[in-house]
Short mmCIF file of all heavy atoms in Angstrom, two decimals:
data_model
loop_
_atom_site.label_atom_id
_atom_site.label_comp_id
_atom_site.label_asym_id
_atom_site.label_seq_id
_atom_site.Cartn_x
_atom_site.Cartn_y
_atom_site.Cartn_z
N ASN A 545 12.96 -0.38 0.40
CA ASN A 545 11.66 -0.20 -0.24
C ASN A 545 10.56 -0.89 0.56
O ASN A 545 9.45 -0.37 0.68
CB ASN A 545 11.69 -0.71 -1.68
CG ASN A 545 12.56 0.15 -2.58
OD1 ASN A 545 12.86 1.30 -2.26
ND2 ASN A 545 12.97 -0.39 -3.71
N ASP A 546 10.88 -2.08 1.12
CA ASP A 546 9.92 -2.76 1.99
C ASP A 546 9.61 -1.92 3.22
O ASP A 546 8.46 -1.80 3.63
CB ASP A 546 10.46 -4.13 2.43
CG ASP A 546 10.45 -5.15 1.30
OD1 ASP A 546 9.76 -4.92 0.29
OD2 ASP A 546 11.14 -6.19 1.44
N PHE A 547 10.66 -1.32 3.82
CA PHE A 547 10.45 -0.44 4.97
C PHE A 547 9.57 0.74 4.59
O PHE A 547 8.64 1.09 5.31
CB PHE A 547 11.78 0.08 5.52
CG PHE A 547 12.49 -0.86 6.45
CD1 PHE A 547 13.83 -1.16 6.24
CD2 PHE A 547 11.85 -1.43 7.53
CE1 PHE A 547 14.51 -2.02 7.09
CE2 PHE A 547 12.51 -2.29 8.38
CZ PHE A 547 13.85 -2.58 8.17
N ASP A 548 9.88 1.37 3.44
CA ASP A 548 9.08 2.52 2.98
C ASP A 548 7.61 2.13 2.82
O ASP A 548 6.72 2.86 3.24
CB ASP A 548 9.62 3.06 1.65
CG ASP A 548 10.94 3.80 1.80
OD1 ASP A 548 11.30 4.17 2.93
OD2 ASP A 548 11.61 4.01 0.76
N ARG A 549 7.37 0.97 2.20
CA ARG A 549 6.01 0.51 1.98
C ARG A 549 5.31 0.23 3.31
O ARG A 549 4.18 0.64 3.53
CB ARG A 549 6.03 -0.74 1.09
CG ARG A 549 4.68 -1.23 0.65
CD ARG A 549 4.73 -2.32 -0.43
NE ARG A 549 5.83 -3.25 -0.35
CZ ARG A 549 6.93 -3.18 -1.12
NH1 ARG A 549 7.08 -2.22 -1.99
NH2 ARG A 549 7.90 -4.08 -1.00
N THR A 550 6.02 -0.44 4.22
CA THR A 550 5.44 -0.76 5.54
C THR A 550 5.12 0.51 6.31
O THR A 550 4.06 0.64 6.92
CB THR A 550 6.41 -1.64 6.35
OG1 THR A 550 6.64 -2.86 5.62
CG2 THR A 550 5.85 -1.98 7.71
N ILE A 551 6.05 1.48 6.27
CA ILE A 551 5.83 2.75 6.97
C ILE A 551 4.62 3.47 6.38
O ILE A 551 3.76 3.95 7.12
CB ILE A 551 7.11 3.63 6.89
CG1 ILE A 551 8.20 3.04 7.79
CG2 ILE A 551 6.80 5.07 7.29
CD1 ILE A 551 9.57 3.65 7.57
N ALA A 552 4.53 3.53 5.05
CA ALA A 552 3.40 4.21 4.41
C ALA A 552 2.08 3.52 4.76
O ALA A 552 1.09 4.19 5.09
CB ALA A 552 3.60 4.24 2.90
N GLU A 553 2.06 2.18 4.73
CA GLU A 553 0.84 1.44 5.06
C GLU A 553 0.46 1.65 6.52
O GLU A 553 -0.71 1.82 6.85
CB GLU A 553 1.03 -0.05 4.76
CG GLU A 553 1.08 -0.36 3.27
CD GLU A 553 1.49 -1.80 2.98
OE1 GLU A 553 1.77 -2.56 3.93
OE2 GLU A 553 1.55 -2.15 1.78
N THR A 554 1.48 1.63 7.40
CA THR A 554 1.22 1.82 8.83
C THR A 554 0.70 3.22 9.11
O THR A 554 -0.25 3.41 9.88
CB THR A 554 2.50 1.55 9.64
OG1 THR A 554 2.96 0.22 9.35
CG2 THR A 554 2.26 1.68 11.12
N GLU A 555 1.31 4.23 8.46
CA GLU A 555 0.84 5.61 8.65
C GLU A 555 -0.59 5.76 8.16
O GLU A 555 -1.41 6.42 8.80
CB GLU A 555 1.77 6.59 7.93
CG GLU A 555 3.09 6.79 8.63
CD GLU A 555 4.06 7.68 7.85
OE1 GLU A 555 3.87 7.86 6.62
OE2 GLU A 555 5.01 8.18 8.48
N ALA A 556 -0.91 5.14 7.01
CA ALA A 556 -2.27 5.22 6.48
C ALA A 556 -3.26 4.55 7.43
O ALA A 556 -4.33 5.10 7.72
CB ALA A 556 -2.34 4.58 5.10
N ALA A 557 -2.88 3.38 7.93
CA ALA A 557 -3.76 2.66 8.86
C ALA A 557 -3.93 3.46 10.15
O ALA A 557 -5.04 3.56 10.69
CB ALA A 557 -3.18 1.27 9.16
N TYR A 558 -2.85 4.05 10.64
CA TYR A 558 -2.92 4.86 11.85
C TYR A 558 -3.85 6.05 11.64
O TYR A 558 -4.67 6.39 12.51
CB TYR A 558 -1.53 5.33 12.26
CG TYR A 558 -1.53 6.20 13.49
CD1 TYR A 558 -1.72 5.65 14.76
CD2 TYR A 558 -1.35 7.57 13.38
CE1 TYR A 558 -1.74 6.46 15.88
CE2 TYR A 558 -1.37 8.39 14.50
CZ TYR A 558 -1.56 7.83 15.75
OH TYR A 558 -1.58 8.63 16.86
N GLY A 559 -3.74 6.67 10.47
CA GLY A 559 -4.62 7.81 10.15
C GLY A 559 -6.08 7.39 10.16
O GLY A 559 -6.94 8.11 10.68
N LYS A 560 -6.37 6.22 9.60
CA LYS A 560 -7.75 5.72 9.57
C LYS A 560 -8.23 5.42 10.99
O LYS A 560 -9.38 5.71 11.34
CB LYS A 560 -7.85 4.47 8.70
CG LYS A 560 -7.73 4.77 7.22
CD LYS A 560 -7.80 3.51 6.39
CE LYS A 560 -7.62 3.83 4.92
NZ LYS A 560 -7.58 2.62 4.09
N ILE A 561 -7.36 4.83 11.80
CA ILE A 561 -7.73 4.54 13.19
C ILE A 561 -8.01 5.83 13.93
O ILE A 561 -9.00 5.95 14.67
CB ILE A 561 -6.61 3.73 13.90
CG1 ILE A 561 -6.55 2.31 13.34
CG2 ILE A 561 -6.81 3.71 15.41
CD1 ILE A 561 -5.34 1.52 13.78
N LEU A 562 -7.16 6.83 13.73
CA LEU A 562 -7.33 8.13 14.39
C LEU A 562 -8.65 8.76 13.95
O LEU A 562 -9.41 9.26 14.79
CB LEU A 562 -6.16 9.03 14.02
CG LEU A 562 -5.84 10.18 14.95
CD1 LEU A 562 -5.59 9.68 16.37
CD2 LEU A 562 -4.62 10.93 14.44
N GLU A 563 -8.93 8.71 12.66
CA GLU A 563 -10.17 9.27 12.14
C GLU A 563 -11.38 8.55 12.71
O GLU A 563 -12.35 9.18 13.14
CB GLU A 563 -10.15 9.16 10.61
CG GLU A 563 -11.28 9.86 9.91
CD GLU A 563 -11.19 9.70 8.40
OE1 GLU A 563 -10.07 9.73 7.86
OE2 GLU A 563 -12.25 9.54 7.78
N SER A 564 -11.31 7.21 12.76
CA SER A 564 -12.41 6.42 13.32
C SER A 564 -12.60 6.73 14.81
O SER A 564 -13.72 6.82 15.29
CB SER A 564 -12.13 4.92 13.15
OG SER A 564 -12.09 4.60 11.79
N SER A 565 -11.49 6.90 15.52
CA SER A 565 -11.56 7.21 16.95
C SER A 565 -12.23 8.55 17.16
O SER A 565 -13.06 8.70 18.07
CB SER A 565 -10.16 7.25 17.57
OG SER A 565 -9.55 5.99 17.48
N GLN A 566 -11.88 9.55 16.34
CA GLN A 566 -12.50 10.87 16.46
C GLN A 566 -14.00 10.79 16.18
O GLN A 566 -14.81 11.38 16.89
CB GLN A 566 -11.83 11.87 15.49
CG GLN A 566 -10.39 12.18 15.83
CD GLN A 566 -10.23 12.83 17.20
OE1 GLN A 566 -11.08 13.59 17.64
NE2 GLN A 566 -9.15 12.52 17.87
N THR A 567 -14.36 10.03 15.15
CA THR A 567 -15.77 9.85 14.81
C THR A 567 -16.50 9.16 15.95
O THR A 567 -17.58 9.60 16.37
CB THR A 567 -15.92 9.03 13.52
OG1 THR A 567 -15.20 9.68 12.48
CG2 THR A 567 -17.36 8.86 13.11
N LEU A 568 -15.91 8.11 16.48
CA LEU A 568 -16.52 7.36 17.58
C LEU A 568 -16.68 8.25 18.80
O LEU A 568 -17.72 8.24 19.47
CB LEU A 568 -15.66 6.14 17.92
CG LEU A 568 -16.19 5.19 18.99
CD1 LEU A 568 -17.55 4.64 18.58
CD2 LEU A 568 -15.21 4.07 19.23
N LEU A 569 -15.66 9.05 19.08
CA LEU A 569 -15.71 9.96 20.23
C LEU A 569 -16.83 10.98 20.05
O LEU A 569 -17.58 11.26 20.99
CB LEU A 569 -14.36 10.66 20.38
CG LEU A 569 -14.12 11.43 21.67
CD1 LEU A 569 -14.26 10.52 22.88
CD2 LEU A 569 -12.74 12.06 21.65
N SER A 570 -16.97 11.51 18.85
CA SER A 570 -18.04 12.48 18.58
C SER A 570 -19.41 11.83 18.77
O SER A 570 -20.31 12.42 19.39
CB SER A 570 -17.93 13.02 17.15
OG SER A 570 -16.73 13.70 16.98
N VAL A 571 -19.57 10.62 18.23
CA VAL A 571 -20.84 9.91 18.38
C VAL A 571 -21.12 9.64 19.86
O VAL A 571 -22.23 9.85 20.34
CB VAL A 571 -20.82 8.58 17.58
CG1 VAL A 571 -21.99 7.70 17.93
CG2 VAL A 571 -20.78 8.88 16.08
N LEU A 572 -20.07 9.22 20.57
CA LEU A 572 -20.22 8.91 22.00
C LEU A 572 -20.62 10.15 22.79
O LEU A 572 -21.52 10.10 23.63
CB LEU A 572 -18.90 8.35 22.53
CG LEU A 572 -18.93 7.51 23.80
CD1 LEU A 572 -19.91 6.37 23.66
CD2 LEU A 572 -17.54 6.99 24.10
N LYS A 573 -19.98 11.28 22.49
CA LYS A 573 -20.34 12.53 23.17
C LYS A 573 -21.78 12.91 22.88
O LYS A 573 -22.51 13.36 23.76
CB LYS A 573 -19.39 13.65 22.75
CG LYS A 573 -18.03 13.58 23.38
CD LYS A 573 -17.15 14.73 22.92
CE LYS A 573 -15.77 14.66 23.55
NZ LYS A 573 -14.88 15.71 23.05
N GLY A 574 -22.19 12.73 21.63
CA GLY A 574 -23.57 13.03 21.26
C GLY A 574 -24.56 12.15 22.00
O GLY A 574 -25.58 12.63 22.51
N GLU A 575 -24.24 10.86 22.09
CA GLU A 575 -25.11 9.92 22.80
C GLU A 575 -25.18 10.25 24.28
O GLU A 575 -26.23 10.20 24.90
CB GLU A 575 -24.63 8.48 22.59
CG GLU A 575 -24.86 7.93 21.21
CD GLU A 575 -26.33 7.87 20.84
OE1 GLU A 575 -27.15 7.48 21.70
OE2 GLU A 575 -26.67 8.25 19.70
N MET A 576 -24.02 10.62 24.85
CA MET A 576 -24.00 10.96 26.29
C MET A 576 -24.84 12.21 26.53
O MET A 576 -25.55 12.31 27.54
CB MET A 576 -22.56 11.17 26.77
CG MET A 576 -21.80 9.86 26.87
SD MET A 576 -20.09 10.09 27.36
CE MET A 576 -20.28 10.67 29.03
N GLY A 577 -24.79 13.17 25.60
CA GLY A 577 -25.61 14.37 25.73
C GLY A 577 -27.08 14.03 25.68
O GLY A 577 -27.87 14.52 26.48
N ASN A 578 -27.46 13.14 24.75
CA ASN A 578 -28.87 12.74 24.64
C ASN A 578 -29.30 11.96 25.88
O ASN A 578 -30.41 12.14 26.37
CB ASN A 578 -29.08 11.86 23.40
CG ASN A 578 -28.92 12.66 22.12
OD1 ASN A 578 -29.03 13.88 22.13
ND2 ASN A 578 -28.65 11.97 21.02
N THR A 579 -28.41 11.10 26.40
CA THR A 579 -28.74 10.30 27.57
C THR A 579 -28.92 11.18 28.80
O THR A 579 -29.85 11.01 29.58
CB THR A 579 -27.64 9.25 27.84
OG1 THR A 579 -27.47 8.47 26.67
CG2 THR A 579 -27.99 8.36 28.99
N SER A 580 -28.04 12.16 28.98
CA SER A 580 -28.15 13.02 30.16
C SER A 580 -29.41 13.87 30.09
O SER A 580 -30.06 14.11 31.09
CB SER A 580 -26.90 13.90 30.32
OG SER A 580 -26.79 14.80 29.22
N LYS A 581 -29.81 14.28 28.87
CA LYS A 581 -31.08 15.03 28.74
C LYS A 581 -32.26 14.14 29.08
O LYS A 581 -33.21 14.58 29.71
CB LYS A 581 -31.23 15.57 27.31
CG LYS A 581 -30.30 16.71 26.99
CD LYS A 581 -30.48 17.15 25.56
CE LYS A 581 -29.44 18.21 25.20
NZ LYS A 581 -29.46 18.52 23.76
N ALA A 582 -32.17 12.88 28.67
CA ALA A 582 -33.28 11.96 28.90
C ALA A 582 -33.39 11.60 30.38
O ALA A 582 -34.48 11.28 30.86
CB ALA A 582 -33.09 10.69 28.07
N THR A 583 -32.30 11.62 31.13
CA THR A 583 -32.34 11.21 32.54
C THR A 583 -32.49 12.38 33.50
O THR A 583 -32.59 12.17 34.70
CB THR A 583 -31.06 10.42 32.91
OG1 THR A 583 -29.92 11.24 32.63
CG2 THR A 583 -30.97 9.12 32.14
N GLU A 584 -32.48 13.61 32.98
CA GLU A 584 -32.69 14.76 33.88
C GLU A 584 -34.10 14.69 34.45
O GLU A 584 -35.05 14.40 33.73
CB GLU A 584 -32.53 16.08 33.11
CG GLU A 584 -31.10 16.43 32.81
CD GLU A 584 -31.01 17.70 31.96
OE1 GLU A 584 -32.05 18.32 31.67
OE2 GLU A 584 -29.88 18.05 31.61
N PRO A 585 -34.24 14.96 35.76
CA PRO A 585 -35.59 14.92 36.34
C PRO A 585 -36.44 16.06 35.76
O PRO A 585 -35.96 17.18 35.64
CB PRO A 585 -35.36 15.12 37.83
CG PRO A 585 -33.97 15.67 37.96
CD PRO A 585 -33.23 15.27 36.73
N LYS A 586 -37.63 15.71 35.37
CA LYS A 586 -38.54 16.71 34.81
C LYS A 586 -39.56 17.06 35.89
O LYS A 586 -40.12 16.19 36.53
CB LYS A 586 -39.25 16.17 33.58
CG LYS A 586 -38.31 15.91 32.42
CD LYS A 586 -39.05 15.39 31.23
CE LYS A 586 -38.08 15.13 30.10
NZ LYS A 586 -38.70 14.42 29.01
N SER A 587 -39.77 18.34 36.08
CA SER A 587 -40.76 18.72 37.10
C SER A 587 -42.15 18.62 36.49
O SER A 587 -42.37 19.05 35.38
CB SER A 587 -40.54 20.12 37.63
OG SER A 587 -39.59 20.83 36.89
N THR A 588 -42.99 18.01 37.26
CA THR A 588 -44.39 17.88 36.82
C THR A 588 -45.14 19.13 37.26
O THR A 588 -44.66 19.89 38.10
CB THR A 588 -45.04 16.63 37.45
OG1 THR A 588 -45.03 16.81 38.85
CG2 THR A 588 -44.30 15.37 37.06
N SER A 589 -46.32 19.30 36.74
CA SER A 589 -47.10 20.48 37.12
C SER A 589 -47.50 20.41 38.59
O SER A 589 -47.59 21.43 39.26
CB SER A 589 -48.32 20.63 36.22
OG SER A 589 -49.07 19.44 36.25
N LYS A 590 -47.69 19.19 39.15
CA LYS A 590 -48.04 19.05 40.57
C LYS A 590 -46.88 19.51 41.43
O LYS A 590 -47.07 20.17 42.44
CB LYS A 590 -48.39 17.61 40.91
CG LYS A 590 -49.73 17.16 40.35
CD LYS A 590 -50.02 15.74 40.77
CE LYS A 590 -51.34 15.28 40.15
NZ LYS A 590 -51.61 13.89 40.42
N GLU A 591 -45.62 19.13 41.01
CA GLU A 591 -44.45 19.55 41.79
C GLU A 591 -44.33 21.06 41.77
O GLU A 591 -43.99 21.68 42.77
CB GLU A 591 -43.17 18.91 41.23
CG GLU A 591 -43.05 17.41 41.50
CD GLU A 591 -41.83 16.79 40.81
OE1 GLU A 591 -41.37 17.34 39.78
OE2 GLU A 591 -41.36 15.76 41.27
N LYS A 592 -44.60 21.66 40.63
CA LYS A 592 -44.52 23.11 40.52
C LYS A 592 -45.57 23.76 41.43
O LYS A 592 -45.30 24.76 42.09
CB LYS A 592 -44.74 23.57 39.07
CG LYS A 592 -43.57 23.27 38.18
CD LYS A 592 -43.80 23.74 36.77
CE LYS A 592 -42.64 23.35 35.88
NZ LYS A 592 -42.90 23.65 34.49
N GLN A 593 -46.76 23.15 41.47
CA GLN A 593 -47.80 23.70 42.34
C GLN A 593 -47.39 23.54 43.79
O GLN A 593 -47.57 24.45 44.60
CB GLN A 593 -49.14 22.98 42.11
CG GLN A 593 -49.78 23.33 40.78
CD GLN A 593 -51.00 22.46 40.49
OE1 GLN A 593 -51.31 21.55 41.27
NE2 GLN A 593 -51.67 22.74 39.38
N ALA A 594 -46.78 22.40 44.15
CA ALA A 594 -46.36 22.16 45.52
C ALA A 594 -45.28 23.14 45.90
O ALA A 594 -45.28 23.67 47.02
CB ALA A 594 -45.88 20.72 45.69
#
Side-chain angles (χ1 to χ4, degrees):
N545 291 341
D546 287 344
F547 278 130
D548 288 344
R549 187 170 34 259
T550 300
I551 288 168
E553 289 171 358
T554 303
E555 286 175 342
Y558 178 75
K560 288 179 182 176
I561 290 170
L562 203 56
E563 187 180 322
S564 296
S565 297
Q566 293 299 326
T567 303
L568 184 59
L569 192 58
S570 298
V571 168
L572 201 55
K573 284 180 180 176
E575 288 298 318
M576 287 177 68
N578 291 339
T579 304
S580 64
K581 288 178 186 172
T583 57
E584 285 176 2
K586 294 181 181 170
S587 10
T588 62
S589 55
K590 288 182 183 175
E591 288 175 335
K592 287 181 183 173
Q593 289 172 357

